[in-house]
Amino acid sequence: MVMFKVSRVETTPFDGQKPGTSGLRKKVKVFVQPHYLENFVQSTFNALGADKVTGATLVVSGDGRYYSKDAIQIIIKMAAANGVRRIWVGQNGLLSTPAVSAVIRERVGADGSKATGAFILTASHNPGGPTEDFGIKYNMENGGPAPEGITDKIYSNTTTIKEYLIAEGLPDVDISITGVTSFAGPEGQFDVDVFDSASDYVKLMKSIFDFQAIQKLISSPKFSFCYDALHGVGGAYAKPIFVDELGAQESSLLNCVPKEDFGGGHPDPNLTYAKELVARMGLGKTSTEEPPEFGAAADGDADRNMVLGKRFFVTPSDSVAIIAANAVQSIPYFSGGLKGVARSMPTSAALDVVAKNLNLKFFEVPTGWKFFGNLMDAGMCSVCGEESFGTGSDHIREKDGIWAVLAWLSILAYKNKDNLGGEKLVSVEDIVRQHWSTYGRHYYTRYDYENVDAASAKELMAYLVKLESSLSEVNDIIKGIRSDVSKVVHADEFEYKDPVDGSISKHQGIRYLFEDGSRLVFRLSGTGSEGATIRLYIEQYEQDPSKIGRESQDALAPLVEVALKLSKMQEFTGRSAPTVIT
Ligand code: G6P
Ligand code: ZN
């Protein structure tokens, strides 16, 4: 057995190592500075404390983006030096974020070991490559992101760090081959266990969904399917699940080879960045080929999803509402009923209406998946989702892109169970329109202003907060912009008291609530790595059956105009148009 020694390396703090909503995300050129990653990892070990580190089993893997392989070797050596007993690595360093959560919760090592935490190496939907982003976040024993108490401690440690520990004499481990490699350290044995990236996750999915029913749907000649992993880690799961288990054609998989730079693309599953899928599904340009019945895309670490029907876009806010409305009948895991449902504040109120009609517990939380985790740990929530293309359930403590696709396939399978030989399948669009006619429709759009000057973004937000204090002034301004928009009856900065741990989160976005149920929400993104991103969320509820079939942009045009003028968007940002509209 190769032996290693522990070496203590002197270091000095770096500015700005504060983990955001989903860990620390910076440009690769920042991460490759000597000691930069090491400082953050040591600060994490120190924040966790010896009882969660000494003798522990930890997972290290991610979406495979550029710098991951180097980072994994560094973390292995630092873990060994800090007294960790074993490190689990997905083959080639690949594990999707939901798979990491599943591995922490479900995987049992050959010697009976269980993991108690994970370093996830991802910057999610941000581009990758030498000039793009890298990221790292820590997840806890429940499989969810570290709570603020821990991330605050990590940050404070990064401001005072003086040294880190790293194993000397421990060679790089070949992470391309599965199997266990053991080393001898001063405190005893240290193992690195490289395992198949997909098998634990596939097993979990099979325990949740009726794979046979989905298989039947997929094998119907009337059904066709397309999954685009945007060259993210979702590709490592797409073939084992959709092709090997469910019998889809290999040609249904698009961009399913994980790449360090995501093929030069922006791995964010939305109408702007998932161009190839959008075209194949017949949205945008008119194509000559008949589009598939169902299409979906994932982001870099495969926790986000976009669901499309033939020439039809399902908004994420509608998606979670429709999954919640159909879960009990269509998905065996939920056959006993839903414990509750939850959405983030900027997500549309489509889920609220379902919760009310089905008499389900309902929660509105700030943006960020960790808030759902608390509810789930307390047994209060089964299904949740966010407008930012995140959907999931209490099977793990992260959002789950492939789970969402399987949920939709399950609903389609259920709706078509007696219809597979029929004239025409019940389509994604049919399901959504049916949902609108039962519950009403929430027209919804989001405008993103990316990489805006940070000071100007703050000024815009401050202006909106100030404006909120006088509703009569707000309504005068609105009247001057459009007379066909209803009036604001309440405005505030969203604040959340966690019903489980009582913690309070303030300044979670500025809301303007209108008399007719419309909403305008302004937020600063917490996930960018450069400048500031302003997000503007625009929503309007329509119950009149004769008005639910309009084009979303037409229906929302008056509110959009009000939002842009009321916030003086162009004045503050210098932008005449958003970077991305979803
Ligand atoms: C990550 C989190 C999500 C959150 C999103 C918000 O993806 O996991 O829970 O909704 O970030 O991003 P933003 O850029 O709007 O802060
Ligand atoms: Zn992601």
Side-chain angles (χ1 to χ4, degrees):
M1 220 186 282
V2 175
M3 306 218 329
F4 66 88
K5 286 193 304 198
V6 173
S7 123
R8 291 177 177 269
V9 180
E10 269 184 40
T11 187
T12 49
F14 287 91
D15 281 343
Q17 290 199 321
K18 191 175 176 58
T21 326
S22 309
L24 183 67
R25 285 179 195 171
K26 300 281 177 197
K27 292 284 167 207
V28 166
K29 64 176 192 290
V30 174
F31 264 104
V32 297
Q33 300 174 85
H35 311 311
Y36 191 91
L37 174 70
E38 290 86 341
N39 278 15
F40 187 80
V41 170
Q42 188 65 51
S43 297
T44 304
F45 284 136
N46 296 349
L48 292 168
D51 62 316
K52 285 199 159 56
V53 176
T54 313
T57 298
L58 302 181
V59 187
V60 180
S61 279
D63 61 16
R65 66 179 56 232
Y66 184 82
Y67 192 55
S68 297
K69 289 197 167 132
D70 295 333
I72 288 171
Q73 299 297 343
I74 291 171
I75 296 169
I76 289 175
K77 293 183 177 83
M78 291 187 66
N82 277 277
V84 169
R85 173 66 183 81
R86 52 183 85 68
I87 287 286
W88 288 354
V89 185
Q91 195 171 9
N92 294 312
L94 295 179
L95 279 178
S96 72
T97 294
V100 171
S101 193
V103 163
I104 296 176
R105 296 169 68 85
E106 308 285 339
R107 182 169 196 260
V108 183
D111 54 2
S113 47
K114 291 270 295 152
T116 51
F119 286 99
I120 310 185
L121 308 179
T122 174
S124 186
H125 50 283
N126 295 0
T131 59
E132 298 294 350
D133 286 5
F134 185 73
I136 177 167
K137 70 168 182 167
Y138 192 82
N139 276 29
M140 308 295 283
E141 56 261 59
N142 71 343
E148 227 156 84
I150 297 279
T151 54
D152 285 350
K153 233 193 233 168
I154 295 174
Y155 175 56
S156 120
N157 289 344
T158 66
T159 63
T160 56
I161 187 160
K162 291 195 174 61
E163 65 167 21
Y164 61 82
L165 309 184
I166 190 153
E168 210 181 291
L170 197 152
D172 280 0
V173 177
D174 184 353
I175 55 170
S176 69
I177 301 167
T178 59
V180 180
T181 318
S182 300
F183 304 94
E187 309 294 332
Q189 190 174 326
F190 171 71
D191 296 336
V192 178
D193 179 356
V194 180
F195 60 99
D196 181 73
S197 306
S199 54
D200 300 283
Y201 182 76
V202 174
K203 200 167 124 200
L204 180 60
M205 291 303 111
K206 287 176 85 168
S207 74
I208 293 171
F209 297 102
D210 181 348
F211 268 43
Q212 253 184 340
I214 302 175
Q215 213 173 34
K216 263 195 209 152
L217 171 79
I218 287 184
S219 66
S220 157
K222 293 202 184 60
F223 188 73
S224 43
F225 164 84
C226 183
Y227 185 76
D228 187 348
L230 295 174
H231 288 300
V233 71
Y237 301 84
K239 182 167 179 292
I241 294 181
F242 300 125
V243 177
D244 301 345
E245 292 285 342
L246 295 170
Q249 304 282 329
E250 220 160 309
S251 57
S252 322
L253 308 184
L254 207 58
N255 303 319
C256 278
V257 178
K259 292 197 175 159
E260 287 195 331
D261 66 349
F262 308 108
H266 194 139
D268 202 0
N270 58 41
L271 294 174
T272 305
Y273 294 129
K275 283 195 194 72
E276 228 176 309
L277 177 75
V278 166
R280 202 189 270 203
M281 295 307 294
L283 285 152
K285 273 187 282 171
T286 33
S287 63
T288 42
E289 257 176 71
E290 185 63 3
E293 282 291 320
F294 180 86
D299 72 334
D301 61 332
D303 56 354
R304 293 188 174 190
N305 75 91
M306 174 169 71
V307 165
L308 303 175
K310 186 182 291 196
R311 301 185 192 93
F312 191 81
F313 169 62
V314 185
T315 71
S317 297
D318 277 345
S319 177
V320 62
I322 291 167
I323 292 174
N326 292 284
V328 173
Q329 306 89 307
S330 317
I331 303 171
Y333 180 84
F334 299 116
S335 57
L338 301 181
K339 294 170 185 151
V341 295
R343 66 162 170 86
S344 67
M345 183 275 280
T347 305
S348 94
L351 184 63
D352 311 31
V353 185
V354 172
K356 205 165 165 209
N357 280 30
L358 302 183
N359 206 11
L360 296 169
K361 264 201 209 111
F362 169 80
F363 303 90
E364 180 182 30
V365 309
T367 295
W369 206 260
K370 62 187 173 199
F371 296 99
F372 296 129
N374 265 5
L375 298 172
M376 289 173 170
D377 284 344
M380 292 153 83
C381 175
S382 297
V383 169
C384 56
E386 295 185 279
E387 50 65 39
S388 53
F389 294 83
T391 329
S393 100
D394 63 351
H395 65 293
I396 53 170
R397 294 295 177 272
E398 291 279 2
K399 54 185 169 286
D400 190 341
I402 288 186
W403 176 92
V405 173
L406 293 171
W408 267 93
L409 291 173
S410 303
I411 295 169
L412 281 163
Y414 176 77
K415 302 267 183 197
N416 285 294
K417 67 179 184 333
D418 304 318
N419 183 42
L420 290 173
E423 276 284 288
K424 183 188 165 295
L425 292 183
V426 176
S427 69
V428 169
E429 181 170 352
D430 295 335
I431 291 171
V432 176
R433 290 196 186 279
Q434 182 58 50
H435 187 89
W436 292 340
S437 68
T438 311
Y439 296 98
R441 175 172 180 185
H442 291 80
Y443 286 102
Y444 190 85
T445 189
R446 182 176 109 178
Y447 280 32
D448 295 339
Y449 297 81
E450 292 176 353
N451 210 351
V452 168
D453 172 61
S456 315
K458 264 197 197 142
E459 276 168 32
L460 178 138
M461 296 299 278
Y463 171 73
L464 286 168
V465 171
K466 202 170 129 236
L467 202 60
E468 266 175 10
S469 55
S470 168
L471 284 192
S472 61
E473 198 183 320
V474 167
N475 283 318
D476 283 347
I477 299 174
I478 292 177
K479 234 184 275 158
I481 304 170
R482 297 258 340 187
S483 55
D484 54 349
V485 163
S486 95
K487 68 173 203 248
V488 175
V489 286
H490 181 83
D492 65 7
E493 269 194 280
F494 183 61
E495 196 174 299
Y496 177 67
K497 183 171 181 204
D498 191 303
V500 181
D501 64 18
S503 63
I504 292 177
S505 305
K506 295 186 175 177
H507 310 297
Q508 297 297 318
I510 298 166
R511 312 190 287 184
Y512 286 83
L513 310 181
F514 292 73
E515 198 166 31
D516 66 352
S518 300
R519 280 198 323 170
L520 294 179
V521 174
F522 297 83
R523 250 191 88 240
L524 292 183
S525 154
T527 59
S529 62
E530 246 180 347
T533 294
I534 301 170
R535 302 209 194 286
L536 160 59
Y537 311 81
I538 301 152
E539 168 182 353
Q540 186 176 319
Y541 186 37
E542 186 56 73
Q543 278 179 288
D544 180 345
S546 71
K547 292 187 184 155
I548 58 172
R550 300 177 66 193
E551 280 302 318
S552 177
Q553 294 299 335
D554 295 344
L556 292 171
L559 262 182
V560 169
E561 191 182 340
V562 163
L564 298 182
K565 290 190 176 155
L566 182 69
S567 64
K568 302 191 178 172
M569 187 63 85
Q570 185 161 1
E571 247 172 80
F572 280 109
T573 64
R575 303 280 177 86
S576 56
T579 328
V580 178
I581 298 182
T582 43

